[in-house]
Amino acid sequence: MEIISDKRKREKEALSELKSLLKEMKNLRCPTDDDEFLLRFIRVRKYNPEEALIGIRQYYTLRDNSPGLTEILFPSALKHVFDCNIVTVLKHSDCSGKRIMFWQSRNWDPVAIDLRFVLAATFLVIDEITSTEDVQLSGLIAIIDHGGLTFTKMRQMAGQMTFARLHRIIYGYQGGMPAKFKSAHIVNNPYIFDLIYALAKPFLKEKLKRRILEHGKNVQNIHQHLNPEILPKSLGGHLPNEEAVDHDFMQRIMAKNDFYKEMATYGFVHD
């Protein structure tokens, strides 16, 4: 109980100082009355208010660097993406309690769904999954299944992703997410993806590089890191694909449409 009390005291002190720092940021609109939102960045940045402020700035910079994102950054605008299970969360956590995001390229039809809707859905899932303290402290795992990543899909990605924009987004992701990705498993990655990843790799921090594991076509390799009992059959796991997904989580997102609409109004103020 004493440890918990000490942690809450540190959070309160850091929260007060962070709010003071945010008041000085005249060009940034931020929900300063939403303590839980601010605490995400405080916990991830180990109760350092100055570092938490940097994280918040990068969080909104990342959104700024994704044109047209804020206009669709709420569940009702992204229902068609969620219905396709392009980006989801698995029902079961790993053995240490980390939640697992699951991204499936094969479910994305680039003719029906523009890439920016997929990016917006990814942002929203990350926002929702990092809303709990346990995820903020323990971190996340990502599984990215690039089976079905066709040339048509890659062409749309390349058309919307200049080299400079790729650099800015990578920079934002590495510091602007209120949670830490403890590992990212990439499976079924085609050769063309490897070429793009080679361009991005120089911008990644060394720690993040070590946490990105490419398994190629050998999907079974992922079982060295994650128990197949919690994985869908598409990853060589034991669960039917639909049963492996946390549908309650997705329903929680859809039920918070007004909340996310309001959150989308915050960010940097441009003249």
Side-chain angles (χ1 to χ4, degrees):
M1 289 297 292
E2 186 176 340
I3 294 174
I4 295 174
S5 178
D6 181 61
K7 185 173 74 170
R8 297 305 178 210
K9 181 181 177 182
R10 291 173 65 194
E11 287 180 351
K12 187 176 180 179
E13 291 172 351
L15 188 60
S16 177
E17 189 170 342
L18 177 58
K19 288 183 177 183
S20 296
L21 292 171
L22 284 167
K23 284 180 181 178
E24 298 174 10
M25 296 284 300
K26 303 301 182 185
N27 67 331
L28 177 64
R29 288 190 68 252
C30 181
T32 52
D33 58 340
D34 188 340
D35 289 356
E36 286 304 315
F37 174 78
L38 300 180
L39 282 169
R40 301 182 191 194
F41 297 91
I42 287 171
R43 289 169 182 146
V44 169
R45 297 302 183 105
K46 299 179 179 178
Y47 311 102
N48 185 320
E50 289 82 8
E51 288 293 318
L53 177 64
I54 292 172
I56 290 172
R57 286 177 57 87
Q58 287 183 256
Y59 173 84
Y60 286 113
T61 297
L62 179 56
R63 295 178 177 222
D64 255 15
N65 289 332
S66 304
L69 191 75
T70 54
E71 290 89 339
I72 58 172
L73 203 54
F74 48 90
S76 60
L78 301 169
K79 186 178 183 301
H80 61 307
V81 184
F82 293 135
D83 286 345
C84 293
N85 285 340
I86 299 169
V87 54
T88 58
V89 174
L90 295 188
K91 184 184 299 181
H92 302 290
S93 303
D94 80 336
C95 59
S96 61
K98 297 181 184 67
R99 297 304 309 266
I100 303 170
M101 285 186 61
F102 185 29
W103 210 97
Q104 301 177 86
S105 294
R106 65 171 55 84
N107 291 347
W108 172 36
D109 178 358
V111 176
I113 302 174
D114 187 82
L115 177 63
R116 72 187 180 104
F117 285 89
V118 178
L119 291 175
T122 302
F123 275 116
L124 212 58
V125 168
I126 293 174
D127 267 355
E128 182 62 24
I129 202 172
T130 57
S131 65
T132 61
E133 183 176 355
D134 59 334
V135 172
Q136 294 157 18
L137 296 176
S138 63
L140 284 170
I141 293 172
I143 301 175
I144 304 160
D145 184 353
H146 277 320
L149 187 61
T150 63
F151 178 75
T152 301
K153 296 175 183 179
M154 293 299 296
R155 185 171 58 186
Q156 185 175 140
M157 292 171 71
Q160 297 189 29
M161 197 70 66
T162 65
F163 192 72
R165 186 181 171 201
L166 177 64
H167 184 192
R168 291 194 299 268
I169 288 178
I170 291 171
Y171 169 77
Y173 260 115
Q174 290 184 102
M177 292 290 113
K180 294 180 179 179
F181 282 93
K182 294 298 185 179
S183 62
H185 300 272
I186 302 174
V187 299
N188 294 316
N189 40 303
Y191 175 68
I192 192 168
F193 169 81
D194 294 337
L195 292 177
I196 292 179
Y197 180 54
L199 292 175
K201 209 167 184 178
F203 304 126
L204 299 177
K205 296 176 181 177
E206 287 302 321
K207 183 186 289 186
L208 185 56
K209 287 180 187 177
R210 293 193 296 269
R211 292 177 176 176
I212 297 175
L213 306 174
E214 294 184 84
H215 302 288
K217 299 296 181 182
N218 193 350
V219 177
Q220 302 295 325
N221 275 358
I222 204 171
H223 300 166
Q224 298 175 25
H225 308 272
L226 296 168
N227 191 329
E229 291 184 1
I230 68 171
L231 297 176
K233 289 185 177 180
S234 62
L235 295 173
H238 297 177
L239 297 176
N241 286 7
E242 277 296 307
E243 191 178 320
V245 172
D246 188 347
H247 295 286
D248 289 341
F249 175 89
M250 306 311 295
Q251 289 173 7
R252 285 201 304 275
I253 290 182
M254 295 307 301
K256 295 170 70 174
N257 196 60
D258 291 343
F259 170 78
Y260 280 112
K261 268 192 173 182
E262 181 184 352
M263 293 300 286
T265 65
Y266 295 105
F268 286 102
V269 179
H270 300 286
D271 295 330

